Amino acid sequence: MKKILLGLFLLLGVVSFALPNYVDAQKLKKSGYEITEEGENGFRIAREKNKEEGTVVLYYLDYINDNPAKELSEMSIKTAPEEFKYLGSTQSEKAYINKFVSPEDRDVYSFVGKKSKLKNCYLVIMHFTNKKLSDSEAEKLAETLLNEAESFLK
């Protein structure tokens, strides 16, 4: 379990991070998330619900490339830990969804929000679970987690 979280932290560790004033830090903590890194270009939060499920959310700030959401989705595939087997990608109205499997046979998903609630602030969510999700379940989970992550923004 800790290897998976460590792998997710390493995967998302490409950017250095600072907690902006438009983030509700109290709401983050009440939801069980911890701020794991913050800096100039964004911040990262993490939550482990139980031994079977965990989430890491990366907030990219001032990310202004031509198609940032698609680019971040592709980057999450390229920078995934080598031991994660890439299974494929899909997309919903709200997110790009990439699926991996860990060496421990846990499903790992990368959800990248297509639209930004705040100008030039993009979300990349890594979620691991022991549950095998169908495409429609993964889409619902992506929407739920993206809505939750956006709710921390004032």
Side-chain angles (χ1 to χ4, degrees):
M1 177 66 62
K2 291 185 181 191
K3 284 184 180 179
I4 290 177
L5 273 178
L6 178 62
L8 294 176
F9 289 138
L10 292 173
L11 167 69
L12 298 174
V14 180
V15 178
S16 68
F17 301 96
L19 197 59
N21 61 0
Y22 53 80
V23 175
D24 189 341
Q26 294 292 43
K27 189 172 184 180
L28 276 171
K29 291 178 183 177
K30 284 181 183 176
S31 296
Y33 283 93
E34 292 182 29
I35 300 164
T36 59
E37 195 169 340
E38 52 187 292
E40 194 173 300
N41 298 319
F43 61 98
R44 180 174 42 210
I45 61 174
R47 171 180 68 192
E48 188 173 355
K49 281 189 172 178
N50 52 47
K51 299 278 185 208
E52 299 175 2
E53 203 169 331
T55 305
V56 176
V57 182
L58 180 65
Y59 293 79
Y60 280 93
L61 306 176
D62 297 324
Y63 199 83
I64 52 173
N65 293 4
D66 290 337
N67 191 350
K70 186 162 181 60
E71 185 177 301
L72 289 168
S73 177
E74 291 168 357
M75 185 171 60
S76 73
I77 296 168
K78 291 176 186 173
T79 60
E82 288 181 19
E83 62 269 15
F84 285 14
K85 181 180 176 187
Y86 173 66
L87 300 177
S89 297
T90 187
Q91 58 181 302
S92 68
E93 185 178 314
K94 189 165 177 135
Y96 293 101
I97 302 169
N98 303 305
K99 184 177 179 181
F100 305 87
V101 67
S102 74
E104 295 85 10
D105 200 35
R106 293 198 171 127
D107 283 359
V108 180
Y109 295 89
S110 162
F111 304 124
V112 180
K114 288 183 174 180
K115 295 184 179 158
S116 174
K117 179 179 178 178
L118 296 174
K119 186 177 181 182
N120 300 327
C121 177
Y122 290 89
L123 306 177
V124 177
I125 299 174
M126 297 299 291
H127 181 79
F128 69 87
T129 180
N130 283 344
K131 299 174 188 171
K132 303 293 181 197
L133 303 177
S134 68
D135 285 348
S136 64
E137 290 172 319
E139 286 180 22
K140 287 178 188 173
L141 179 60
E143 186 168 343
T144 298
L145 291 174
L146 285 164
N147 286 339
E148 179 182 48
E150 288 175 346
S151 77
F152 303 137
L153 303 172
K154 298 177 187 176

mmCIF file with all atom_site columns, all heavy atoms in Angstrom, residues 19-35 38 43 45 151-154:
data_model
loop_
_atom_site.group_PDB
_atom_site.id
_atom_site.type_symbol
_atom_site.label_atom_id
_atom_site.label_alt_id
_atom_site.label_comp_id
_atom_site.label_asym_id
_atom_site.label_entity_id
_atom_site.label_seq_id
_atom_site.pdbx_PDB_ins_code
_atom_site.Cartn_x
_atom_site.Cartn_y
_atom_site.Cartn_z
_atom_site.occupancy
_atom_site.B_iso_or_equiv
_atom_site.pdbx_formal_charge
_atom_site.auth_seq_id
_atom_site.auth_comp_id
_atom_site.auth_asym_id
_atom_site.auth_atom_id
_atom_site.pdbx_PDB_model_num
ATOM 1   N N   . LEU A 1 19  ? 0.372   26.856 -1.437 1.00 0.00 ? 19  LEU A N   1
ATOM 2   C CA  . LEU A 1 19  ? -1.063  26.854 -1.197 1.00 0.00 ? 19  LEU A CA  1
ATOM 3   C C   . LEU A 1 19  ? -1.600  28.274 -1.343 1.00 0.00 ? 19  LEU A C   1
ATOM 4   O O   . LEU A 1 19  ? -1.316  29.150 -0.530 1.00 0.00 ? 19  LEU A O   1
ATOM 5   C CB  . LEU A 1 19  ? -1.342  26.304 0.201  1.00 0.00 ? 19  LEU A CB  1
ATOM 6   C CG  . LEU A 1 19  ? -2.761  25.857 0.478  1.00 0.00 ? 19  LEU A CG  1
ATOM 7   C CD1 . LEU A 1 19  ? -3.179  24.762 -0.496 1.00 0.00 ? 19  LEU A CD1 1
ATOM 8   C CD2 . LEU A 1 19  ? -2.885  25.358 1.897  1.00 0.00 ? 19  LEU A CD2 1
ATOM 9   N N   . PRO A 1 20  ? -2.382  28.511 -2.400 1.00 0.00 ? 20  PRO A N   1
ATOM 10  C CA  . PRO A 1 20  ? -2.889  29.861 -2.633 1.00 0.00 ? 20  PRO A CA  1
ATOM 11  C C   . PRO A 1 20  ? -4.005  30.214 -1.649 1.00 0.00 ? 20  PRO A C   1
ATOM 12  O O   . PRO A 1 20  ? -4.606  29.354 -1.027 1.00 0.00 ? 20  PRO A O   1
ATOM 13  C CB  . PRO A 1 20  ? -3.418  29.805 -4.069 1.00 0.00 ? 20  PRO A CB  1
ATOM 14  C CG  . PRO A 1 20  ? -3.438  28.398 -4.473 1.00 0.00 ? 20  PRO A CG  1
ATOM 15  C CD  . PRO A 1 20  ? -2.725  27.590 -3.459 1.00 0.00 ? 20  PRO A CD  1
ATOM 16  N N   . ASN A 1 21  ? -4.326  31.505 -1.561 1.00 0.00 ? 21  ASN A N   1
ATOM 17  C CA  . ASN A 1 21  ? -5.344  31.962 -0.622 1.00 0.00 ? 21  ASN A CA  1
ATOM 18  C C   . ASN A 1 21  ? -6.759  31.578 -1.035 1.00 0.00 ? 21  ASN A C   1
ATOM 19  O O   . ASN A 1 21  ? -7.672  31.706 -0.242 1.00 0.00 ? 21  ASN A O   1
ATOM 20  C CB  . ASN A 1 21  ? -5.228  33.478 -0.400 1.00 0.00 ? 21  ASN A CB  1
ATOM 21  C CG  . ASN A 1 21  ? -5.422  34.261 -1.679 1.00 0.00 ? 21  ASN A CG  1
ATOM 22  O OD1 . ASN A 1 21  ? -5.650  33.693 -2.742 1.00 0.00 ? 21  ASN A OD1 1
ATOM 23  N ND2 . ASN A 1 21  ? -5.327  35.569 -1.579 1.00 0.00 ? 21  ASN A ND2 1
ATOM 24  N N   . TYR A 1 22  ? -6.965  31.120 -2.245 1.00 0.00 ? 22  TYR A N   1
ATOM 25  C CA  . TYR A 1 22  ? -8.298  30.727 -2.675 1.00 0.00 ? 22  TYR A CA  1
ATOM 26  C C   . TYR A 1 22  ? -8.574  29.236 -2.442 1.00 0.00 ? 22  TYR A C   1
ATOM 27  O O   . TYR A 1 22  ? -9.522  28.676 -2.972 1.00 0.00 ? 22  TYR A O   1
ATOM 28  C CB  . TYR A 1 22  ? -8.560  31.099 -4.141 1.00 0.00 ? 22  TYR A CB  1
ATOM 29  C CG  . TYR A 1 22  ? -7.526  30.600 -5.125 1.00 0.00 ? 22  TYR A CG  1
ATOM 30  C CD1 . TYR A 1 22  ? -7.545  29.292 -5.579 1.00 0.00 ? 22  TYR A CD1 1
ATOM 31  C CD2 . TYR A 1 22  ? -6.548  31.454 -5.607 1.00 0.00 ? 22  TYR A CD2 1
ATOM 32  C CE1 . TYR A 1 22  ? -6.605  28.841 -6.479 1.00 0.00 ? 22  TYR A CE1 1
ATOM 33  C CE2 . TYR A 1 22  ? -5.609  31.011 -6.501 1.00 0.00 ? 22  TYR A CE2 1
ATOM 34  C CZ  . TYR A 1 22  ? -5.649  29.699 -6.938 1.00 0.00 ? 22  TYR A CZ  1
ATOM 35  O OH  . TYR A 1 22  ? -4.705  29.255 -7.831 1.00 0.00 ? 22  TYR A OH  1
ATOM 36  N N   . VAL A 1 23  ? -7.763  28.615 -1.607 1.00 0.00 ? 23  VAL A N   1
ATOM 37  C CA  . VAL A 1 23  ? -7.970  27.210 -1.246 1.00 0.00 ? 23  VAL A CA  1
ATOM 38  C C   . VAL A 1 23  ? -8.469  27.153 0.191  1.00 0.00 ? 23  VAL A C   1
ATOM 39  O O   . VAL A 1 23  ? -7.924  27.808 1.080  1.00 0.00 ? 23  VAL A O   1
ATOM 40  C CB  . VAL A 1 23  ? -6.658  26.408 -1.380 1.00 0.00 ? 23  VAL A CB  1
ATOM 41  C CG1 . VAL A 1 23  ? -6.848  24.985 -0.892 1.00 0.00 ? 23  VAL A CG1 1
ATOM 42  C CG2 . VAL A 1 23  ? -6.186  26.422 -2.823 1.00 0.00 ? 23  VAL A CG2 1
ATOM 43  N N   . ASP A 1 24  ? -9.522  26.384 0.417  1.00 0.00 ? 24  ASP A N   1
ATOM 44  C CA  . ASP A 1 24  ? -10.099 26.211 1.746  1.00 0.00 ? 24  ASP A CA  1
ATOM 45  C C   . ASP A 1 24  ? -9.373  25.075 2.460  1.00 0.00 ? 24  ASP A C   1
ATOM 46  O O   . ASP A 1 24  ? -9.777  23.908 2.374  1.00 0.00 ? 24  ASP A O   1
ATOM 47  C CB  . ASP A 1 24  ? -11.597 25.929 1.623  1.00 0.00 ? 24  ASP A CB  1
ATOM 48  C CG  . ASP A 1 24  ? -12.322 25.958 2.942  1.00 0.00 ? 24  ASP A CG  1
ATOM 49  O OD1 . ASP A 1 24  ? -11.666 25.830 3.998  1.00 0.00 ? 24  ASP A OD1 1
ATOM 50  O OD2 . ASP A 1 24  ? -13.559 26.098 2.913  1.00 0.00 ? 24  ASP A OD2 1
ATOM 51  N N   . ALA A 1 25  ? -8.294  25.400 3.161  1.00 0.00 ? 25  ALA A N   1
ATOM 52  C CA  . ALA A 1 25  ? -7.461  24.396 3.827  1.00 0.00 ? 25  ALA A CA  1
ATOM 53  C C   . ALA A 1 25  ? -8.229  23.656 4.919  1.00 0.00 ? 25  ALA A C   1
ATOM 54  O O   . ALA A 1 25  ? -8.017  22.450 5.117  1.00 0.00 ? 25  ALA A O   1
ATOM 55  C CB  . ALA A 1 25  ? -6.215  25.053 4.411  1.00 0.00 ? 25  ALA A CB  1
ATOM 56  N N   . GLN A 1 26  ? -9.127  24.335 5.613  1.00 0.00 ? 26  GLN A N   1
ATOM 57  C CA  . GLN A 1 26  ? -9.922  23.678 6.667  1.00 0.00 ? 26  GLN A CA  1
ATOM 58  C C   . GLN A 1 26  ? -10.825 22.607 6.061  1.00 0.00 ? 26  GLN A C   1
ATOM 59  O O   . GLN A 1 26  ? -10.964 21.523 6.614  1.00 0.00 ? 26  GLN A O   1
ATOM 60  C CB  . GLN A 1 26  ? -10.761 24.706 7.431  1.00 0.00 ? 26  GLN A CB  1
ATOM 61  C CG  . GLN A 1 26  ? -9.934  25.687 8.231  1.00 0.00 ? 26  GLN A CG  1
ATOM 62  C CD  . GLN A 1 26  ? -9.223  25.004 9.398  1.00 0.00 ? 26  GLN A CD  1
ATOM 63  O OE1 . GLN A 1 26  ? -8.668  23.924 9.278  1.00 0.00 ? 26  GLN A OE1 1
ATOM 64  N NE2 . GLN A 1 26  ? -9.235  25.657 10.536 1.00 0.00 ? 26  GLN A NE2 1
ATOM 65  N N   . LYS A 1 27  ? -11.452 22.918 4.948  1.00 0.00 ? 27  LYS A N   1
ATOM 66  C CA  . LYS A 1 27  ? -12.338 21.960 4.286  1.00 0.00 ? 27  LYS A CA  1
ATOM 67  C C   . LYS A 1 27  ? -11.547 20.747 3.803  1.00 0.00 ? 27  LYS A C   1
ATOM 68  O O   . LYS A 1 27  ? -12.010 19.615 3.885  1.00 0.00 ? 27  LYS A O   1
ATOM 69  C CB  . LYS A 1 27  ? -13.065 22.633 3.122  1.00 0.00 ? 27  LYS A CB  1
ATOM 70  C CG  . LYS A 1 27  ? -14.156 21.788 2.519  1.00 0.00 ? 27  LYS A CG  1
ATOM 71  C CD  . LYS A 1 27  ? -14.959 22.578 1.500  1.00 0.00 ? 27  LYS A CD  1
ATOM 72  C CE  . LYS A 1 27  ? -16.102 21.749 0.968  1.00 0.00 ? 27  LYS A CE  1
ATOM 73  N NZ  . LYS A 1 27  ? -16.896 22.475 -0.011 1.00 0.00 ? 27  LYS A NZ  1
ATOM 74  N N   . LEU A 1 28  ? -10.333 21.003 3.304  1.00 0.00 ? 28  LEU A N   1
ATOM 75  C CA  . LEU A 1 28  ? -9.436  19.912 2.894  1.00 0.00 ? 28  LEU A CA  1
ATOM 76  C C   . LEU A 1 28  ? -9.216  18.941 4.055  1.00 0.00 ? 28  LEU A C   1
ATOM 77  O O   . LEU A 1 28  ? -9.386  17.728 3.914  1.00 0.00 ? 28  LEU A O   1
ATOM 78  C CB  . LEU A 1 28  ? -8.061  20.466 2.511  1.00 0.00 ? 28  LEU A CB  1
ATOM 79  C CG  . LEU A 1 28  ? -7.798  20.999 1.140  1.00 0.00 ? 28  LEU A CG  1
ATOM 80  C CD1 . LEU A 1 28  ? -6.444  21.687 1.097  1.00 0.00 ? 28  LEU A CD1 1
ATOM 81  C CD2 . LEU A 1 28  ? -7.834  19.898 0.138  1.00 0.00 ? 28  LEU A CD2 1
ATOM 82  N N   . LYS A 1 29  ? -8.835  19.489 5.173  1.00 0.00 ? 29  LYS A N   1
ATOM 83  C CA  . LYS A 1 29  ? -8.516  18.667 6.341  1.00 0.00 ? 29  LYS A CA  1
ATOM 84  C C   . LYS A 1 29  ? -9.743  17.945 6.876  1.00 0.00 ? 29  LYS A C   1
ATOM 85  O O   . LYS A 1 29  ? -9.659  16.792 7.274  1.00 0.00 ? 29  LYS A O   1
ATOM 86  C CB  . LYS A 1 29  ? -7.836  19.513 7.413  1.00 0.00 ? 29  LYS A CB  1
ATOM 87  C CG  . LYS A 1 29  ? -6.453  19.949 6.979  1.00 0.00 ? 29  LYS A CG  1
ATOM 88  C CD  . LYS A 1 29  ? -5.760  20.832 7.983  1.00 0.00 ? 29  LYS A CD  1
ATOM 89  C CE  . LYS A 1 29  ? -4.418  21.248 7.385  1.00 0.00 ? 29  LYS A CE  1
ATOM 90  N NZ  . LYS A 1 29  ? -3.670  22.147 8.216  1.00 0.00 ? 29  LYS A NZ  1
ATOM 91  N N   . LYS A 1 30  ? -10.896 18.615 6.881  1.00 0.00 ? 30  LYS A N   1
ATOM 92  C CA  . LYS A 1 30  ? -12.134 17.980 7.342  1.00 0.00 ? 30  LYS A CA  1
ATOM 93  C C   . LYS A 1 30  ? -12.525 16.803 6.458  1.00 0.00 ? 30  LYS A C   1
ATOM 94  O O   . LYS A 1 30  ? -13.178 15.866 6.909  1.00 0.00 ? 30  LYS A O   1
ATOM 95  C CB  . LYS A 1 30  ? -13.278 18.995 7.388  1.00 0.00 ? 30  LYS A CB  1
ATOM 96  C CG  . LYS A 1 30  ? -13.202 19.939 8.565  1.00 0.00 ? 30  LYS A CG  1
ATOM 97  C CD  . LYS A 1 30  ? -14.378 20.890 8.568  1.00 0.00 ? 30  LYS A CD  1
ATOM 98  C CE  . LYS A 1 30  ? -14.245 21.886 9.708  1.00 0.00 ? 30  LYS A CE  1
ATOM 99  N NZ  . LYS A 1 30  ? -15.313 22.889 9.696  1.00 0.00 ? 30  LYS A NZ  1
ATOM 100 N N   . SER A 1 31  ? -12.131 16.851 5.197  1.00 0.00 ? 31  SER A N   1
ATOM 101 C CA  . SER A 1 31  ? -12.438 15.764 4.255  1.00 0.00 ? 31  SER A CA  1
ATOM 102 C C   . SER A 1 31  ? -11.424 14.631 4.332  1.00 0.00 ? 31  SER A C   1
ATOM 103 O O   . SER A 1 31  ? -11.509 13.678 3.570  1.00 0.00 ? 31  SER A O   1
ATOM 104 C CB  . SER A 1 31  ? -12.497 16.303 2.828  1.00 0.00 ? 31  SER A CB  1
ATOM 105 O OG  . SER A 1 31  ? -13.556 17.213 2.704  1.00 0.00 ? 31  SER A OG  1
ATOM 106 N N   . GLY A 1 32  ? -10.449 14.760 5.227  1.00 0.00 ? 32  GLY A N   1
ATOM 107 C CA  . GLY A 1 32  ? -9.474  13.694 5.426  1.00 0.00 ? 32  GLY A CA  1
ATOM 108 C C   . GLY A 1 32  ? -8.221  13.806 4.588  1.00 0.00 ? 32  GLY A C   1
ATOM 109 O O   . GLY A 1 32  ? -7.387  12.909 4.591  1.00 0.00 ? 32  GLY A O   1
ATOM 110 N N   . TYR A 1 33  ? -8.063  14.909 3.863  1.00 0.00 ? 33  TYR A N   1
ATOM 111 C CA  . TYR A 1 33  ? -6.869  15.106 3.034  1.00 0.00 ? 33  TYR A CA  1
ATOM 112 C C   . TYR A 1 33  ? -5.772  15.775 3.850  1.00 0.00 ? 33  TYR A C   1
ATOM 113 O O   . TYR A 1 33  ? -6.049  16.544 4.767  1.00 0.00 ? 33  TYR A O   1
ATOM 114 C CB  . TYR A 1 33  ? -7.178  15.983 1.821  1.00 0.00 ? 33  TYR A CB  1
ATOM 115 C CG  . TYR A 1 33  ? -7.911  15.269 0.722  1.00 0.00 ? 33  TYR A CG  1
ATOM 116 C CD1 . TYR A 1 33  ? -9.301  15.299 0.651  1.00 0.00 ? 33  TYR A CD1 1
ATOM 117 C CD2 . TYR A 1 33  ? -7.225  14.554 -0.252 1.00 0.00 ? 33  TYR A CD2 1
ATOM 118 C CE1 . TYR A 1 33  ? -9.979  14.645 -0.359 1.00 0.00 ? 33  TYR A CE1 1
ATOM 119 C CE2 . TYR A 1 33  ? -7.897  13.898 -1.260 1.00 0.00 ? 33  TYR A CE2 1
ATOM 120 C CZ  . TYR A 1 33  ? -9.271  13.947 -1.313 1.00 0.00 ? 33  TYR A CZ  1
ATOM 121 O OH  . TYR A 1 33  ? -9.935  13.290 -2.305 1.00 0.00 ? 33  TYR A OH  1
ATOM 122 N N   . GLU A 1 34  ? -4.552  15.484 3.468  1.00 0.00 ? 34  GLU A N   1
ATOM 123 C CA  . GLU A 1 34  ? -3.394  16.166 4.021  1.00 0.00 ? 34  GLU A CA  1
ATOM 124 C C   . GLU A 1 34  ? -2.686  16.883 2.877  1.00 0.00 ? 34  GLU A C   1
ATOM 125 O O   . GLU A 1 34  ? -2.593  16.363 1.774  1.00 0.00 ? 34  GLU A O   1
ATOM 126 C CB  . GLU A 1 34  ? -2.417  15.165 4.641  1.00 0.00 ? 34  GLU A CB  1
ATOM 127 C CG  . GLU A 1 34  ? -2.934  14.490 5.882  1.00 0.00 ? 34  GLU A CG  1
ATOM 128 C CD  . GLU A 1 34  ? -1.908  13.542 6.466  1.00 0.00 ? 34  GLU A CD  1
ATOM 129 O OE1 . GLU A 1 34  ? -0.687  13.769 6.295  1.00 0.00 ? 34  GLU A OE1 1
ATOM 130 O OE2 . GLU A 1 34  ? -2.332  12.564 7.082  1.00 0.00 ? 34  GLU A OE2 1
ATOM 131 N N   . ILE A 1 35  ? -2.185  18.068 3.155  1.00 0.00 ? 35  ILE A N   1
ATOM 132 C CA  . ILE A 1 35  ? -1.388  18.784 2.167  1.00 0.00 ? 35  ILE A CA  1
ATOM 133 C C   . ILE A 1 35  ? -0.005  18.160 2.211  1.00 0.00 ? 35  ILE A C   1
ATOM 134 O O   . ILE A 1 35  ? 0.662   18.196 3.238  1.00 0.00 ? 35  ILE A O   1
ATOM 135 C CB  . ILE A 1 35  ? -1.333  20.288 2.482  1.00 0.00 ? 35  ILE A CB  1
ATOM 136 C CG1 . ILE A 1 35  ? -2.751  20.863 2.474  1.00 0.00 ? 35  ILE A CG1 1
ATOM 137 C CG2 . ILE A 1 35  ? -0.441  21.013 1.477  1.00 0.00 ? 35  ILE A CG2 1
ATOM 138 C CD1 . ILE A 1 35  ? -2.880  22.214 3.128  1.00 0.00 ? 35  ILE A CD1 1
ATOM 139 N N   . GLU A 1 38  ? 3.540   21.835 -1.244 1.00 0.00 ? 38  GLU A N   1
ATOM 140 C CA  . GLU A 1 38  ? 3.037   23.098 -1.782 1.00 0.00 ? 38  GLU A CA  1
ATOM 141 C C   . GLU A 1 38  ? 4.199   23.942 -2.262 1.00 0.00 ? 38  GLU A C   1
ATOM 142 O O   . GLU A 1 38  ? 5.316   23.798 -1.784 1.00 0.00 ? 38  GLU A O   1
ATOM 143 C CB  . GLU A 1 38  ? 2.198   23.840 -0.747 1.00 0.00 ? 38  GLU A CB  1
ATOM 144 C CG  . GLU A 1 38  ? 2.849   24.043 0.599  1.00 0.00 ? 38  GLU A CG  1
ATOM 145 C CD  . GLU A 1 38  ? 1.908   24.631 1.618  1.00 0.00 ? 38  GLU A CD  1
ATOM 146 O OE1 . GLU A 1 38  ? 1.530   25.806 1.445  1.00 0.00 ? 38  GLU A OE1 1
ATOM 147 O OE2 . GLU A 1 38  ? 1.575   23.937 2.579  1.00 0.00 ? 38  GLU A OE2 1
ATOM 148 N N   . PHE A 1 43  ? 0.031   22.659 -5.783 1.00 0.00 ? 43  PHE A N   1
ATOM 149 C CA  . PHE A 1 43  ? 0.123   21.934 -4.527 1.00 0.00 ? 43  PHE A CA  1
ATOM 150 C C   . PHE A 1 43  ? -0.475  20.544 -4.701 1.00 0.00 ? 43  PHE A C   1
ATOM 151 O O   . PHE A 1 43  ? -1.157  20.258 -5.684 1.00 0.00 ? 43  PHE A O   1
ATOM 152 C CB  . PHE A 1 43  ? -0.567  22.707 -3.395 1.00 0.00 ? 43  PHE A CB  1
ATOM 153 C CG  . PHE A 1 43  ? -2.035  22.941 -3.594 1.00 0.00 ? 43  PHE A CG  1
ATOM 154 C CD1 . PHE A 1 43  ? -2.973  22.127 -2.990 1.00 0.00 ? 43  PHE A CD1 1
ATOM 155 C CD2 . PHE A 1 43  ? -2.474  23.995 -4.374 1.00 0.00 ? 43  PHE A CD2 1
ATOM 156 C CE1 . PHE A 1 43  ? -4.331  22.348 -3.178 1.00 0.00 ? 43  PHE A CE1 1
ATOM 157 C CE2 . PHE A 1 43  ? -3.831  24.227 -4.569 1.00 0.00 ? 43  PHE A CE2 1
ATOM 158 C CZ  . PHE A 1 43  ? -4.760  23.400 -3.967 1.00 0.00 ? 43  PHE A CZ  1
ATOM 159 N N   . ILE A 1 45  ? -2.375  17.188 -2.507 1.00 0.00 ? 45  ILE A N   1
ATOM 160 C CA  . ILE A 1 45  ? -3.016  16.682 -1.301 1.00 0.00 ? 45  ILE A CA  1
ATOM 161 C C   . ILE A 1 45  ? -3.200  15.173 -1.452 1.00 0.00 ? 45  ILE A C   1
ATOM 162 O O   . ILE A 1 45  ? -3.216  14.648 -2.564 1.00 0.00 ? 45  ILE A O   1
ATOM 163 C CB  . ILE A 1 45  ? -4.381  17.371 -1.041 1.00 0.00 ? 45  ILE A CB  1
ATOM 164 C CG1 . ILE A 1 45  ? -5.361  17.119 -2.191 1.00 0.00 ? 45  ILE A CG1 1
ATOM 165 C CG2 . ILE A 1 45  ? -4.184  18.858 -0.793 1.00 0.00 ? 45  ILE A CG2 1
ATOM 166 C CD1 . ILE A 1 45  ? -6.771  17.644 -1.937 1.00 0.00 ? 45  ILE A CD1 1
ATOM 167 N N   . SER A 1 151 ? -14.264 21.498 -4.955 1.00 0.00 ? 151 SER A N   1
ATOM 168 C CA  . SER A 1 151 ? -14.981 22.116 -3.836 1.00 0.00 ? 151 SER A CA  1
ATOM 169 C C   . SER A 1 151 ? -14.035 22.760 -2.831 1.00 0.00 ? 151 SER A C   1
ATOM 170 O O   . SER A 1 151 ? -14.450 23.589 -2.021 1.00 0.00 ? 151 SER A O   1
ATOM 171 C CB  . SER A 1 151 ? -15.872 21.086 -3.126 1.00 0.00 ? 151 SER A CB  1
ATOM 172 O OG  . SER A 1 151 ? -15.107 20.229 -2.298 1.00 0.00 ? 151 SER A OG  1
ATOM 173 N N   . PHE A 1 152 ? -12.758 22.391 -2.867 1.00 0.00 ? 152 PHE A N   1
ATOM 174 C CA  . PHE A 1 152 ? -11.783 22.984 -1.959 1.00 0.00 ? 152 PHE A CA  1
ATOM 175 C C   . PHE A 1 152 ? -11.289 24.353 -2.441 1.00 0.00 ? 152 PHE A C   1
ATOM 176 O O   . PHE A 1 152 ? -10.572 25.040 -1.736 1.00 0.00 ? 152 PHE A O   1
ATOM 177 C CB  . PHE A 1 152 ? -10.572 22.051 -1.774 1.00 0.00 ? 152 PHE A CB  1
ATOM 178 C CG  . PHE A 1 152 ? -10.944 20.679 -1.277 1.00 0.00 ? 152 PHE A CG  1
ATOM 179 C CD1 . PHE A 1 152 ? -10.368 19.560 -1.818 1.00 0.00 ? 152 PHE A CD1 1
ATOM 180 C CD2 . PHE A 1 152 ? -11.902 20.515 -0.267 1.00 0.00 ? 152 PHE A CD2 1
ATOM 181 C CE1 . PHE A 1 152 ? -10.702 18.282 -1.366 1.00 0.00 ? 152 PHE A CE1 1
ATOM 182 C CE2 . PHE A 1 152 ? -12.241 19.251 0.195  1.00 0.00 ? 152 PHE A CE2 1
ATOM 183 C CZ  . PHE A 1 152 ? -11.652 18.131 -0.360 1.00 0.00 ? 152 PHE A CZ  1
ATOM 184 N N   . LEU A 1 153 ? -11.686 24.705 -3.658 1.00 0.00 ? 153 LEU A N   1
ATOM 185 C CA  . LEU A 1 153 ? -11.310 25.999 -4.225 1.00 0.00 ? 153 LEU A CA  1
ATOM 186 C C   . LEU A 1 153 ? -12.414 26.999 -3.926 1.00 0.00 ? 153 LEU A C   1
ATOM 187 O O   . LEU A 1 153 ? -13.586 26.736 -4.169 1.00 0.00 ? 153 LEU A O   1
ATOM 188 C CB  . LEU A 1 153 ? -11.083 25.888 -5.736 1.00 0.00 ? 153 LEU A CB  1
ATOM 189 C CG  . LEU A 1 153 ? -10.032 24.874 -6.174 1.00 0.00 ? 153 LEU A CG  1
ATOM 190 C CD1 . LEU A 1 153 ? -10.039 24.732 -7.692 1.00 0.00 ? 153 LEU A CD1 1
ATOM 191 C CD2 . LEU A 1 153 ? -8.656  25.273 -5.669 1.00 0.00 ? 153 LEU A CD2 1
ATOM 192 N N   . LYS A 1 154 ? -12.047 28.157 -3.390 1.00 0.00 ? 154 LYS A N   1
ATOM 193 C CA  . LYS A 1 154 ? -13.039 29.183 -3.021 1.00 0.00 ? 154 LYS A CA  1
ATOM 194 C C   . LYS A 1 154 ? -13.509 29.958 -4.220 1.00 0.00 ? 154 LYS A C   1
ATOM 195 O O   . LYS A 1 154 ? -12.825 30.140 -5.174 1.00 0.00 ? 154 LYS A O   1
ATOM 196 C CB  . LYS A 1 154 ? -12.428 30.155 -2.002 1.00 0.00 ? 154 LYS A CB  1
ATOM 197 C CG  . LYS A 1 154 ? -12.019 29.493 -0.721 1.00 0.00 ? 154 LYS A CG  1
ATOM 198 C CD  . LYS A 1 154 ? -11.370 30.519 0.183  1.00 0.00 ? 154 LYS A CD  1
ATOM 199 C CE  . LYS A 1 154 ? -10.775 29.881 1.413  1.00 0.00 ? 154 LYS A CE  1
ATOM 200 N NZ  . LYS A 1 154 ? -10.080 30.813 2.252  1.00 0.00 ? 154 LYS A NZ  1
#
